[in-house]
Amino acid sequence: MPFPIPDHLPRQLDISSNVLSKFDSVTLQSLNSSFASSCRAELDESIRLTKTKIHDRICADSSSFQRQLSSAKSLKERLDTLSRHVQALSVTLSDSKSGLVPVLLEALEAHQLLAQESLNVDVLSDSLSHLSECRAQLDALQKLIDAGDLPPAVVACHALSSLLILVPGPLKDASVVSEMQTRLRVLSNRMEELLSDAYTKSVVVNASEVIIKPFVLVPRSLKPLPLSSILSSISSASLAVHLSTLRRDILTYYIECSFDQPTSLTVSAMQDTSGALMHVLSRFPLPPNTTDTGSPLVNVSTALDFLHKQLFPVLPLTHKHSFPRSLSKPISTAILVRLLIPGLPSQLEALPAFLQIVNKAVDLEDKYIVGMLDGSSERDIKAWVNNVCTHYERQRRSHILNSARKLIIQSISSSEPTFYAQLPLLQEIPDKAGLAPSDEGNAWGLDDDGQSFNAGSSRSAPEEENVWGFDDDLQEETGTQQADPGEVIEEDPGDAWGWNDEEPAPEELVQAEDTWDDPWGEEPALSEVTPAVRTVPVSSQRPPANSAHATQRVSRPTDGTSRYPPKSVPITEPYLVSTLAKSIIRTVEDALHEGQGLSSSGIFPTSSTSTTTPGTLIMQSGALVLDLYRAVYPIVAAARLVRPGDVMKFSNNCYWLAEEVGRLVAHERGVLVVRDKLEECKSVLQVLADSWYQDGIDIQRTALCDILASAKGFTDTSDQDRYDDCEMSISRVVREIRSTANAWKPVLPKSKYYTAVGAIVEVSLQRILENILAIPDIPEVESHKLSELCRILAALEGLFIEDFSESSFVVSYVPSWLKFSYLSELLEASMADLTYLFEEGALVDFEVDELAKLVRALFADTPLRTSTLDKIMGGHPVR
């Protein structure tokens, strides 16, 4: 296609276009003969010019024109010749009468008809021949089944089934073939039924006997069929079902049942009613009291020998090895689960007899399970027997821990009996009531080392009578009931302390202390175990400036040296321990002794492949019992451990257990393998004892702080309602401390008791001191009220008096006691009294900032107060 000329370029129009344009523009008036003549003349001139151009072009190259003209004429001649030849060939091929193609098509059609007829004849012949062969096989199969010759009938059935599968294509949908297949299916089912019936007659398994007949008669059979041919003739699916049922029945009735109840197996040969030979494995139950633990293995051996002789040889090749192998694993499992594992003895004396059974089981596995049933067996029994020592020790460990768990749980369900153990102490005491040297740093308060038990081993003393001295003469005067040291007596604290009465005045509280008998039952020998004290009198009235010694009895260690050299005297302190702890330690001892006995008995020889020696796991269970006690008791006794006395009793239990474990480590022989674990248990129990002891103190501290928080800082006590609230808070604190002390005193040893009571008294005094010293302004009325409130707590000094003929030792356990005692005096003291006490060094427990703050709160701003403050800020006098 030529490139189109753009519209803006001029076009070269030919003559015809020009003529047509003229005709297009002509009108009806101008269209006449002259116009037509001019158009014709124009066309003629154009034709003439075109011919002239052609003639000129030919004349310009005449030779080329002549050559092309001759080529064109030659080509036209050859084209005409070829057209004539093609026309003749078409007539030769396509003529309806003599043409080659119609004749050939007729010949091919005739040949096709002939070939189809031949094929039809061949297919018919083959089909009839195949049908004839199938009919012959079907008749033969029918005759074999009717004659009871089942094994050849099985072969004929398979052959006929193959013929019917290979039936020619034209016969696949024929009704005759369908009829033959139906008859084959019926005959096959009948044959399978006869074979199954023959199997059930030849192999009979029930709960009392196993019957195997080598030969069996079938209906219409002239001769008995051997069991091997019956098993070989049964179909694979049916044989698998029969063998699976046989395996189940043998395992249930003759293997597993032999382990569950006493049984005897016997093998015999006899004839049935028809005279056929049969082999019988009979099972007879034995009396329930039969205790021969080796008879199950004998029964297993008898059953396997019977099967190996009568059944295994007649199995077909497809099941000859698989069926015996399928019995090996269940038999091994039954021996382990039903005989060896449940038969593990719980006593060392029964182990030799058990090991004899174990050796028999290993021999049975070697001879029967490996040698007869499955040569590739993993020998599970042998693997278990190689670790029988470990299995025995694990079972014993589980039994020991389960017994300990039950013991712990049962102790919570009833009142827990107790006994008193003795805490040995070694303390240097003077021969006389002299003074021992002491440094200034410990003059006012003991350090906190007393929070934990003193070192040393304790011994239980449940047989000691009147270990707490409840039968003293004082008991007869007060009518107090004696407590049995072997059990815990729950008493109403209000009866012993008079807390159920109306709140007494401070003087009545002090007097009530005198009737508290000594639970430790000691005579007034306090001077032998406590440092010498001096009495600092404090007056109840505002004292003069030259008599600020106070009339209230308080104890402060004095400086000086003892007139007699100290000597070491063993002292024991009783403390309450539950008999559960004794049972726990007895369980630990029994585990250690049992492990040592097992190790020394030589019943289990040490294996070169074993990493532990016999008895180690049982000995380790002793430490696990202690761990179990630590883990279980706080949970099951959670409701009981909210009481102060029970918290301290659990602390005592842990301490006593730690001491007893230390004794076992030190004196028991043969515990080297578990020494590290026992020492770890001892350390953990010691930490647990200290932590529960400290937690018991902290709980009471928190409770007392909560009570004192209701006083709201002891401010505005000039208001009677506020004073009553503060007085009630302090009275509650006194009752709470007394109640706690009453609960702790029968439980804790003396040293820990005073330390614990001193700790809760100390926190109460500290909180009150902080609140009072924090008041910025204390009017005279409030100072008297606060002094009265402070004196209520003076009744607590009776908790630290063992003999009222001696001075109290409250300052040894309550460092802030003297400071608090002087605070009650300073609240009512004059400026002169305060200056005197300061100059005499009686206020050394106060910081100078605390004294300055107290002076500013008590006294008005005067030159005397300013001079006193300057003197105080200059520091305590040095003496």
Side-chain angles (χ1 to χ4, degrees):
M1 179 178 179
F3 184 77
I5 300 175
D7 294 337
H8 64 279
L9 294 179
R11 294 178 178 271
Q12 183 179 3
L13 300 176
D14 54 4
I15 187 62
S16 60
S17 298
N18 292 332
V19 172
L20 292 175
S21 298
K22 290 179 181 181
F23 273 99
D24 182 59
S25 59
V26 70
T27 61
L28 183 62
Q29 291 79 12
S30 59
L31 182 61
N32 48 33
S33 58
S34 60
F35 176 76
S37 298
S38 62
C39 289
R40 179 180 178 184
E42 187 176 355
L43 290 174
D44 291 340
E45 181 63 22
S46 176
I47 292 171
R48 186 186 65 80
L49 291 176
T50 301
K51 290 180 178 181
T52 301
K53 290 181 181 179
I54 293 173
H55 184 268
D56 293 340
R57 181 71 179 269
I58 293 173
C59 291
D61 193 0
S62 177
S63 59
S64 297
F65 174 76
Q66 293 298 329
R67 185 173 62 254
Q68 293 176 2
L69 181 61
S70 60
S71 297
K73 291 179 179 180
S74 175
L75 181 62
K76 185 176 182 306
E77 292 176 357
R78 284 183 289 178
L79 179 62
D80 293 340
T81 302
L82 180 61
S83 298
R84 290 193 299 269
H85 291 168
V86 169
Q87 184 68 28
L89 181 61
S90 175
V91 173
T92 304
L93 291 175
S94 304
D95 186 67
S96 59
K97 296 182 178 181
S98 61
L100 182 61
V101 173
V103 174
L104 180 60
L105 290 176
E106 288 182 10
L108 290 176
E109 288 178 358
H111 182 271
Q112 182 181 5
L113 293 175
L114 183 60
Q116 184 64 41
E117 292 178 358
S118 175
L119 179 62
N120 292 340
V121 172
D122 292 340
V123 169
L124 179 61
S125 175
D126 293 340
S127 298
L128 293 176
S129 176
H130 193 83
L131 287 175
S132 177
E133 185 177 1
C134 291
R135 180 60 182 268
Q137 288 288 348
L138 185 61
D139 294 340
L141 176 62
Q142 182 70 50
K143 291 179 180 180
L144 290 173
I145 294 176
D146 293 340
D149 198 0
L150 298 181
V154 172
V155 177
C157 182
H158 291 322
L160 180 58
S161 178
S162 300
L163 288 176
L164 292 178
I165 291 175
L166 299 176
V167 70
L171 294 177
K172 288 184 178 180
D173 297 331
S175 60
V176 63
V177 174
S178 299
E179 184 180 352
M180 286 185 178
Q181 289 176 345
T182 302
R183 289 190 60 189
L184 174 63
R185 188 161 47 251
V186 171
L187 293 176
S188 177
N189 293 337
R190 181 183 175 190
M191 179 183 59
E192 194 67 33
E193 182 180 354
L194 292 174
L195 288 172
S196 297
D197 182 66
Y199 169 82
T200 55
K201 290 181 180 180
S202 59
V203 179
V204 180
V205 181
N206 52 45
S208 60
E209 59 184 4
V210 177
I211 300 175
I212 297 180
K213 298 179 180 180
F215 297 92
V216 63
L217 284 172
V218 297
R220 300 181 183 180
S221 176
L222 299 178
K223 60 179 180 179
L225 297 179
L227 179 59
S228 58
S229 62
I230 294 175
L231 295 177
S232 300
S233 301
I234 297 179
S235 64
S236 300
S238 180
L239 181 60
V241 173
H242 288 307
L243 292 181
S244 177
T245 304
L246 175 63
R247 179 175 61 251
R248 182 201 63 193
D249 294 341
I250 290 176
L251 292 174
T252 301
Y253 297 136
Y254 297 92
I255 303 297
E256 296 175 355
C257 189
S258 297
F259 299 108
D260 296 337
Q261 60 184 7
T263 303
S264 175
L265 299 182
T266 59
V267 178
S268 61
M270 60 184 67
Q271 293 181 349
D272 60 2
T273 56
S274 63
L277 177 66
M278 62 180 182
H279 302 279
V280 181
L281 175 65
S282 302
R283 172 176 172 267
F284 301 98
L286 295 178
N289 56 358
T290 303
T291 58
D292 185 8
T293 55
S295 61
L297 298 178
V298 176
N299 292 338
V300 172
S301 303
T302 303
L304 291 179
D305 286 334
F306 177 79
L307 295 176
H308 179 68
K309 184 177 180 180
Q310 306 300 334
L311 180 64
F312 294 164
V314 299
L315 291 175
L317 293 177
T318 54
H319 295 81
K320 200 172 190 65
H321 300 288
S322 61
F323 180 74
R325 188 181 299 114
S326 66
L327 294 173
S328 62
K329 188 67 175 180
I331 293 176
S332 299
T333 303
I335 294 174
L336 285 174
V337 175
R338 298 177 181 269
L339 177 65
L340 297 183
I341 296 177
L344 269 174
S346 58
Q347 299 296 331
L348 184 63
E349 294 77 9
L351 276 176
F354 176 75
L355 291 180
Q356 293 179 0
I357 299 175
V358 166
N359 294 330
K360 292 180 181 179
V362 174
D363 295 338
L364 185 144
E365 184 183 39
D366 293 337
K367 180 179 179 181
Y368 292 95
I369 297 178
V370 177
M372 179 187 297
L373 301 180
D374 184 11
S376 61
S377 175
E378 297 179 356
R379 306 196 66 179
D380 297 335
I381 298 177
K382 180 66 175 177
W384 187 88
V385 170
N386 289 337
N387 295 318
V388 65
C389 178
T390 303
H391 297 311
Y392 168 74
E393 294 189 60
R394 287 177 178 172
Q395 176 178 327
R396 287 295 303 141
R397 180 177 63 186
S398 176
H399 177 74
I400 291 170
L401 293 178
N402 190 41
S403 300
R405 183 183 63 84
K406 291 181 179 178
L407 191 65
I408 295 171
I409 295 176
Q410 290 174 359
S411 67
I412 307 302
S413 60
S414 59
S415 59
E416 190 174 4
T418 58
F419 67 97
Y420 285 106
Q422 298 296 326
L423 175 66
L425 303 174
L426 190 63
Q427 183 172 355
E428 290 187 355
I429 62 174
D431 291 342
K432 303 293 183 179
L435 300 177
S438 61
D439 56 354
E440 185 67 24
N442 294 329
W444 301 102
L446 276 64
D447 44 21
D448 294 335
D449 293 340
Q451 297 292 333
S452 62
F453 278 96
N454 295 306
S457 61
S458 63
R459 60 181 180 88
S460 62
E463 300 85 0
E464 293 184 7
E465 297 180 357
N466 192 27
V467 69
W468 291 74
F470 290 150
D471 57 348
D472 295 338
D473 295 336
L474 185 60
Q475 177 186 6
E476 299 176 358
E477 297 175 3
T478 59
T480 305
Q481 184 179 0
Q482 180 180 358
D484 186 2
E487 60 183 3
V488 176
I489 304 299
E490 297 292 340
E491 297 181 354
D492 184 7
D495 296 339
W497 297 81
W499 292 335
N500 297 331
D501 303 333
E502 295 295 329
E503 182 66 23
E507 294 80 2
E508 295 175 353
L509 290 175
V510 176
Q511 184 179 0
E513 286 293 327
D514 298 339
T515 62
W516 188 25
D517 61 345
D518 184 8
W520 294 291
E522 296 183 359
E523 295 299 328
L526 184 64
S527 60
E528 298 182 0
V529 296
T530 57
V533 295
R534 65 180 176 88
T535 302
V536 181
V538 180
S539 62
S540 59
Q541 301 294 329
R542 185 177 295 274
N546 57 356
S547 61
H549 286 34
T551 59
Q552 186 182 11
R553 291 195 308 168
V554 293
S555 301
R556 180 197 295 270
T558 59
D559 297 334
T561 58
S562 176
R563 294 176 294 172
Y564 300 93
K567 64 179 182 180
S568 297
V569 177
I571 301 176
T572 60
E573 295 180 351
Y575 60 97
L576 195 66
V577 182
S578 65
T579 55
L580 173 63
K582 184 180 291 186
S583 301
I584 292 296
I585 205 65
R586 187 181 300 115
T587 303
V588 175
E589 289 179 342
D590 293 343
L592 294 177
H593 293 161
E594 183 179 350
Q596 294 171 13
L598 180 62
S599 178
S600 60
S601 65
I603 296 177
F604 298 109
T606 304
S607 175
S608 58
T609 60
S610 178
T611 57
T612 59
T613 58
T616 301
L617 293 180
I618 297 180
M619 296 176 69
Q620 289 176 350
S621 62
L624 296 179
V625 169
L626 298 173
D627 293 340
L628 182 69
Y629 174 76
R630 292 191 295 106
V632 174
Y633 187 84
I635 302 301
V636 298
R640 177 180 295 179
L641 291 179
V642 298
R643 300 193 291 261
D646 289 308
V647 172
M648 294 304 181
K649 188 195 300 182
F650 181 61
S651 174
N652 290 351
N653 293 345
C654 295
Y655 174 77
W656 187 82
L657 287 173
E659 292 299 304
E660 289 298 307
V661 171
R663 177 184 60 81
L664 293 177
V665 173
H667 299 93
E668 288 288 341
R669 294 178 297 176
V671 297
L672 294 177
V673 292
V674 293
R675 180 184 296 273
D676 294 341
K677 183 61 178 176
L678 289 177
E679 289 180 348
E680 180 183 352
C681 289
K682 176 186 176 182
S683 176
V684 172
L685 287 169
Q686 183 65 63
V687 172
L688 191 64
D690 293 343
S691 62
W692 275 87
Y693 172 74
Q694 190 61 46
D695 288 345
I697 297 175
D698 292 340
I699 291 172
Q700 299 306 317
R701 284 174 172 170
T702 304
L704 294 175
C705 290
D706 293 340
I707 294 174
L708 290 174
S710 62
K712 299 179 181 179
F714 296 95
T715 58
D716 301 328
T717 53
S718 57
D719 182 18
Q720 185 62 36
D721 292 337
R722 283 288 299 124
Y723 176 79
D724 293 340
D725 293 340
C726 296
E727 184 181 22
M728 182 178 296
S729 298
I730 292 184
S731 299
R732 286 179 58 196
V733 168
V734 173
R735 287 195 300 270
E736 186 69 23
I737 293 175
R738 287 175 179 270
S739 175
T740 303
N742 187 41
W744 285 351
K745 193 168 187 178
V747 177
L748 291 173
K750 184 187 299 184
S751 58
K752 286 187 61 105
Y753 164 75
Y754 285 126
T755 301
V757 175
I760 62 175
V761 173
E762 173 69 14
V763 72
S764 302
L765 300 186
Q766 287 283 1
R767 178 59 63 90
I768 296 174
L769 281 168
E770 292 175 1
N771 292 336
I772 293 177
L773 293 177
I775 301 175
D777 184 23
I778 304 177
E780 183 178 0
V781 176
E782 290 188 10
S783 66
H784 289 289
K785 296 290 186 179
L786 292 174
S787 178
E788 292 175 3
L789 294 175
C790 292
R791 288 194 180 93
I792 297 176
L793 294 173
L796 297 177
E797 185 179 4
L799 297 176
F800 300 91
I801 298 177
E802 295 182 1
D803 186 357
F804 289 98
S805 63
E806 300 288 341
S807 301
S808 71
F809 42 88
V810 62
V811 295
S812 298
Y813 298 98
V814 186
S816 299
W817 183 263
L818 290 179
K819 182 177 179 180
F820 186 80
S821 300
Y822 278 112
L823 176 63
S824 63
E825 298 300 325
L826 293 178
L827 289 171
E828 294 183 328
S830 63
M831 186 72 74
D833 295 338
L834 189 149
T835 304
Y836 174 78
L837 292 174
F838 179 77
E839 292 175 347
E840 290 297 321
L843 305 180
V844 293
D845 295 318
F846 290 89
E847 298 291 339
V848 293
D849 293 338
E850 294 175 341
L851 288 175
K853 186 184 298 185
L854 184 61
V855 169
R856 293 189 183 95
L858 290 173
F859 302 101
D861 187 8
T862 61
L864 180 58
R865 190 187 79 168
T866 302
S867 62
T868 303
L869 288 174
D870 293 339
K871 184 182 296 185
I872 291 174
M873 297 306 294
H876 290 284
V878 179
R879 292 182 178 273

